[in-house]
Structures are given as C-alpha cells and as structure tokens.
Amino acid sequence: MAITSANQLELLQTAEAVAREKMIDPNLVVEAMEESLARAAKSRYGSEMDIRVSIDRKTGKATFTRVRTVVADEDLENYQAEFTVEQAKQYMDNPQVGDTFTEEVPPVELGRIAAQSAKQVILQKVREAERDKQYEEFKDRAGTIINALVKREEYGNVIVDLNPGEGVLRRNEKIGRESYRPNDRIRCYIKDVRREPRGPQVFLSRTAPEFMAELFKMEVPEIYEGIIEIKAVARDPGSRAKIAVVSYDNSIDPVGACVGMRGSRVQAVVNELQGEKIDIIPWNEDMPTFLVNALQPAEVSKVVLDEEAGKIEVVVPEEQLSLAIGRRGQNVRLASQLTNLDIDIMTEEEESARRQKEFEERTKLFMETLDLDEFFAQLLVAEGFTSLEEVAYVEVDELLVIDGVDEGTAGELQARARDYLDAQNRKALEHARELGVEDSLVNFEGLTPQMVEALAEDGVKTLEDFATCADWELAGGWTTIDGERVKDDGLLEKFDLSLEEAQDLIMTARVMLGWVDPADLVADEDAEDGETEEGAEA
C-alpha cells in the first residue's frame, strides 16, 4: 500500500478503533504507527539514516523527514545521520555542534514485508501499553482484597481472571487443600504486584495474615472507621488464628465488636477461611499482660520478660501446660508470632526446680571464692546477691542488712571478693598476652581483662580487629530463619553486654583509629533526636 494513495484519515480511524478496543490512549497507537512507518522508510532509504515520521493528529497526513546532527570533526562516525560544522554551512546559517538539520523526504510505499513488519511493531506497542495500564491499575491495589473468577489450575497454582489481565494464587498461598474449578468465584488478597518483562505479575494470597485483617475490616464497620485497630495477626492457615485488637473509644468493646451479634461478624470471616478457628484478643501495651491474653485459653501463673533478648518465660500450672502449648505447639507458636517474642513455657514445678538449682550454684560460688560456710553463703544469695562483683563493689550498707554482718565482717567480705577478682583479672590478662593481644586492645577503656581474654580466644587481638566487629557479634542477637528465631551467640554476651553498649564501644574504637569523624556521630544523633521530636509532635 502507498501512504500517498491511502485514505489518510483511515490511519486515525484505525488508531482510535484499536485504542477503544484495548482501552488505551489513542496517541500511543499513533506513535506506534509513526515508529513502524519510520522503520519501513529506513529499510527503503538505508538503515543508517535517521528517518522520522510524524502523523498529523487531525488530518492523518504522514510526513517523512530526514534528520542530520552537527558533530565535531573527530566525532563524525555516521555520514548518513551526522555532518561536521563545515559541511553543515551549506544548509544552515552559523551551525553549532548539537544542532539538527531536518529535510522532508518522499513518502515510501509499504511492500508486503514492510507492512507485516509495521503491523508487528504496532501490535507490540499496543501490548506494552496494555501491560503498563494493567500495572498502573493494580500497583496501588496491593494490600487489598479482590473478587475474581478462576480461569484454570496449573501444577497446583490457580490462575484467576482479573479483567484486565491475570493473577496467580500459588499453591503455598492456598488454605489447606483448597481446589477450584473454572469460573468459580474466589476472594483473594493482593500480596504483591511486580513489573516483569512478560508483563505485570499480580501475586495473590489467602494465607497471608493481612487477608484476615482485611476481611475483618470489611465485616466490622468500627475497624473500617478507625475506632478499632488491628494491632497484630498470627495464622496457622485453615486451622487456627489469633488477632489482637484495641479500641480507641472507651464505650466500645473491641472483642465484642469483632465477634458481632451472636458471632455473626466473626462467623462470616471463619466461613471465608474454610472454618479456621479465630481467637480475638484484647491488645495491651504492657507486653506481659498482652502475652497472658495471647495464650488464652490457658491460665498463666507468672511471666518474666527479657526485652533485650526478645524472650519471655511463662510459668503455668501443671494441668495447664498442654493447653498453653496447644496441639503440636500451635497455641504457643501463634502467641509467639503475635507478640514477636520467643516464648519459653514451663510448669510451676520446673520453675521451682530451676530456681533451686540457681540458688545452689550461687551458694557454691560464694563458698568456694569467699571461703564461707554454707549458711553464710545462702544468706548472701537470699538477699539477692548473684555475683562476686556485686559483693565487691556494693555499698557497705547493703551488706549490713544481713543478719550477723557488722562493718568489720562486711569489709572482710568485700576485701576477699576484690582479691579474688584481681587474681582472676591478672590470670586473664596473662593468658590474653600469651595469645598475642596488643596493648591497644588491653588499654581500651570499657573492656575488662576477661573480655579481652574472650576476644583473644576468638582471634580479636588488636583495636583494629575490634573495630571491624559488628554489635551483634559482641552482644549476641536473634536471626529469623524460615520463620523461626535462631540465637546468635556473642563473644562478650556472657558479660551481660547489651547491644547498645556494644555499638558504643565499637564506634569509640573507630573514632580512636580515625575511621569515623566524631562530628558525623554528633550530626547523626541530632538527626535522630529531631526525628524523635517530630514523631512526638505527630
């Protein structure tokens, strides 16, 4: 076909028809036509030429132009699309590098092959426009629930029709052994939307905790309005779940509102989740209280929280142990996910035995190191003394409250404790030096001889070695692997070094070595303080 003989308005009519059918911008189709015509013209005039085509948006007339760019003499490579300043003078007045010269060229006739190529370019552009439209439509819907029709099932994955486009519900995102047939209606949570070369991928889920939260938001108007907030959700999909809620209106019971009249609201969610049992729990800022609620229906006798380690010990009566743990550990596992804490559950008898063991170990420590009889050592432990450091450096008044201890006895106790600690320090320092520790680390303020010895045994022998350590390497920490919290032992963890203290020591070492500018640290602290103040105002 020849552009000159074709009905020029037909181009625009075709573009509008395609755009209407695909629900995309007509300009995108016209641009695709321009590109396809330019490609056909290049095959006619030469691929090295810079041929451009412009279609008039009103008349449909296609204008073919050749563009040449002015370049420096040494940069001239493509003689068909570039020319030097000297060469450009015959076409342009006062040409400069970077200027372009445009001249109209005769339109080309599209042969069969060129027409086919043009069609492919237009189809490709239309497909890309459709993909962009689908991505733009769904990217802002991530985190919401969608109703869709099942198209087919492939290797356990369910492909659903999102109109436009498709979404995939992977096998591990389905509840239990759910199976679907074509044209079944399905309700899913849009977990993620990704732009990929083959088009946008919409990943759906029915097992995500957020799916349950969104279902409750649909069933409970108070949640949608913000009067009640869902603080945490933990699920064992298809079996059991726990959801923590809080009310910002004292007149509204958050648990009662979520349950609904005769359980109507929660039952609607349970039905959607294939009968998944749901425990609705009142949220509390006090973590031990919240945990007691989370372990319902089990009764808890005592809670001991170690916030630094992210760990909590729960003591329950013997008859409540199996209920607290739940079938296959389900109850305690869900409570752990809900509170984001590692939970140890023990019976009252086990806790009593452990406390007795600790009492005996501390008694033995004081007997051996301070040369005391058993009765006197037990008095020290009973008064809350747990280490030699406490005995050696505590205020004398705290020792005088023990029955039978006067100032002379207290002074003798502290002298014995200090002598023993000094001997241990000398021994540790000698061993560290034997291992090759340098004075830069020995004299570093904040590290005891025992700490230096522990570092040396692990190969940290200089201040430079110490400065390259991470805070968790020193203080220990927790890593989540495959959904389970795993303990990382720290080199100095046994000395009760906190993560913050480890960070301060490491940064001090880096400043001393000149690796970090102290001014940068001050600036960072000021920035953090500013963020904290803004958060408080908000």
Side-chain angles (χ1 to χ4, degrees):
M1 85 184 211
I3 291 295
T4 51
S5 61
N7 181 354
Q8 295 171 340
L9 283 174
E10 193 176 322
L11 284 174
L12 294 181
Q13 291 168 355
T14 303
E16 287 175 6
V18 172
R20 203 163 40 244
E21 180 187 345
K22 301 295 184 180
M23 297 177 68
I24 58 176
D25 185 356
N27 274 329
L28 292 173
V29 183
V30 176
E31 287 171 9
M33 289 179 170
E34 289 173 341
E35 186 179 324
S36 63
L37 290 173
R39 187 174 295 186
K42 281 186 178 181
S43 65
R44 166 72 174 78
Y45 288 113
S47 60
E48 291 187 345
M49 283 194 183
D50 185 2
I51 303 291
R52 302 177 191 179
V53 178
S54 173
I55 296 176
D56 190 295
R57 299 301 195 267
K58 292 181 179 178
T59 65
K61 181 183 178 183
T63 303
F64 290 70
T65 55
R66 177 189 180 188
V67 178
R68 281 186 282 183
T69 305
V70 180
V71 297
D73 293 359
E74 62 273 15
D75 294 332
L76 183 63
E77 293 180 357
N78 183 352
Y79 292 92
Q80 299 292 344
E82 299 169 344
F83 52 10
T84 63
V85 174
E86 196 61 39
Q87 292 169 339
K89 285 181 179 178
Q90 57 183 308
Y91 303 102
M92 305 167 65
D93 295 330
N94 191 26
Q96 303 291 325
V97 172
D99 290 349
T100 56
F101 175 71
T102 303
E103 59 182 334
E104 192 170 337
V105 295
V108 299
E109 292 187 1
L110 289 183
R112 183 177 59 82
I113 295 175
Q116 189 67 26
S117 174
K119 182 180 178 182
Q120 290 298 325
V121 170
I122 293 171
L123 288 175
Q124 179 65 25
K125 282 285 186 180
V126 168
R127 277 196 293 268
E128 288 176 5
E130 282 184 293
R131 288 171 181 169
D132 287 342
K133 180 175 179 292
Q134 186 185 352
Y135 177 76
E136 292 299 323
E137 181 172 336
F138 283 102
K139 71 173 184 178
D140 295 328
R141 294 178 66 182
T144 62
I145 287 178
I146 190 169
N147 291 302
L149 281 177
V150 174
K151 289 183 74 172
R152 62 188 182 278
E153 194 162 347
E154 297 177 351
Y155 308 106
N157 301 324
V158 178
I159 310 301
V160 302
D161 185 3
L162 298 179
N163 191 28
E166 294 180 346
V168 58
L169 177 67
R170 289 178 172 169
R171 182 171 24 184
N172 61 333
E173 297 290 350
K174 294 192 295 184
I175 297 173
R177 297 181 179 178
E178 285 182 328
S179 62
Y180 297 96
R181 290 176 296 182
N183 295 323
D184 280 354
R185 293 206 69 82
I186 186 172
R187 187 183 282 183
C188 299
Y189 176 79
I190 301 178
K191 192 173 184 179
D192 192 15
V193 181
R194 299 179 201 158
R195 192 196 290 271
E196 295 188 0
R198 63 185 181 205
Q201 297 294 301
V202 181
F203 296 99
L204 308 173
S205 175
R206 284 175 57 80
T207 61
E210 297 86 356
F211 182 45
M212 175 182 285
E214 288 298 313
L215 287 173
F216 268 103
K217 188 183 291 186
M218 293 169 69
E219 296 294 336
V220 183
E222 292 87 347
I223 295 176
Y224 180 80
E225 292 166 5
I227 300 170
I228 293 174
E229 182 184 354
I230 297 172
K231 300 294 284 188
V233 181
R235 290 182 65 192
D236 191 350
S239 177
R240 195 175 197 88
K242 291 179 183 286
I243 180 168
V245 291
V246 63
S247 173
Y248 296 114
D249 185 336
N250 293 333
S251 64
I252 295 178
D253 171 26
V255 176
C258 292
V259 171
M261 187 72 71
R262 296 179 183 175
S264 59
R265 291 175 174 176
V266 72
Q267 193 57 48
V269 178
V270 168
N271 292 340
E272 178 62 42
L273 299 178
Q274 307 292 324
E276 190 171 316
K277 296 179 179 65
I278 302 173
D279 296 333
I280 303 173
I281 294 158
W283 184 80
N284 197 300
E285 287 186 359
D286 181 55
M287 192 55 70
T289 304
F290 178 38
L291 181 69
V292 170
N293 295 338
L295 282 171
Q296 292 176 0
E299 296 176 5
V300 176
S301 304
K302 181 180 175 183
V303 172
V304 180
L305 173 64
D306 183 351
E307 288 189 73
E308 191 175 300
K311 186 177 179 182
I312 199 160
E313 291 179 352
V314 178
V315 181
V316 297
E318 182 72 40
E319 66 274 10
Q320 293 285 317
L321 181 62
S322 60
L323 191 61
I325 294 174
R327 188 179 61 180
R328 297 177 184 170
Q330 186 184 66
N331 194 52
V332 70
R333 185 172 66 254
L334 290 175
S336 179
Q337 291 174 17
L338 201 67
T339 58
N340 201 28
L341 291 170
D342 194 39
I343 302 172
D344 284 343
I345 293 186
M346 63 183 73
T347 63
E348 292 172 342
E349 290 80 0
E350 288 172 339
E351 197 233 358
S352 177
R354 193 191 68 175
R355 288 171 63 87
Q356 182 61 34
K357 184 181 177 183
E358 289 177 354
F359 188 88
E360 291 172 357
E361 287 175 351
R362 289 169 184 165
T363 299
K364 185 178 179 183
L365 170 70
F366 290 145
M367 287 173 64
E368 292 176 352
T369 56
L370 301 179
D371 192 21
L372 302 176
D373 59 32
E374 185 177 6
F375 177 73
F376 206 110
Q378 287 177 345
L379 282 176
L380 279 176
V381 178
E383 284 295 329
F385 289 95
T386 60
S387 67
L388 286 174
E389 284 79 7
E390 289 181 11
V391 176
Y393 303 110
V394 78
E395 293 292 332
V396 176
D397 292 347
E398 294 191 34
L399 288 170
L400 296 178
V401 299
I402 302 173
D403 288 340
V405 175
D406 55 22
E407 288 192 9
T409 307
E412 178 62 23
L413 273 176
Q414 290 197 316
R416 289 184 187 182
R418 289 170 182 167
D419 288 345
Y420 184 86
L421 290 173
D422 288 343
Q424 291 296 102
N425 288 343
R426 283 194 301 273
K427 185 178 177 182
L429 206 53
E430 288 172 6
H431 184 218
R433 290 193 184 282
E434 288 173 6
L435 293 171
V437 166
E438 294 185 2
D439 286 343
S440 60
L441 192 61
V442 172
N443 298 328
F444 181 64
E445 189 175 347
L447 294 179
T448 65
Q450 282 90 349
M451 288 180 175
V452 173
E453 181 185 31
L455 290 169
E457 288 173 347
D458 203 79
V460 180
K461 301 177 182 179
T462 67
L463 194 60
E464 287 82 357
D465 294 339
F466 182 77
T468 59
C469 291
D471 50 12
W472 61 267
E473 288 182 284
L474 299 181
W478 295 83
T479 305
T480 302
I481 300 176
D482 296 332
E484 291 191 12
R485 286 165 61 82
V486 179
K487 184 74 176 70
D488 293 319
D489 293 327
L491 298 177
L492 305 180
E493 189 172 354
K494 62 184 178 182
F495 302 104
D496 293 328
L497 185 76
S498 70
L499 207 59
E500 291 74 17
E501 290 170 336
Q503 289 171 351
D504 289 342
L505 288 173
I506 292 168
M507 292 311 296
T508 301
R510 291 173 181 174
V511 169
M512 288 176 65
L513 291 167
W515 296 359
V516 175
D517 187 346
D520 293 338
L521 294 180
V522 174
D524 290 342
E525 287 174 6
D526 290 343
E528 288 178 9
D529 291 342
E531 288 176 9
T532 305
E533 287 173 10
E534 286 177 14
E537 289 173 5

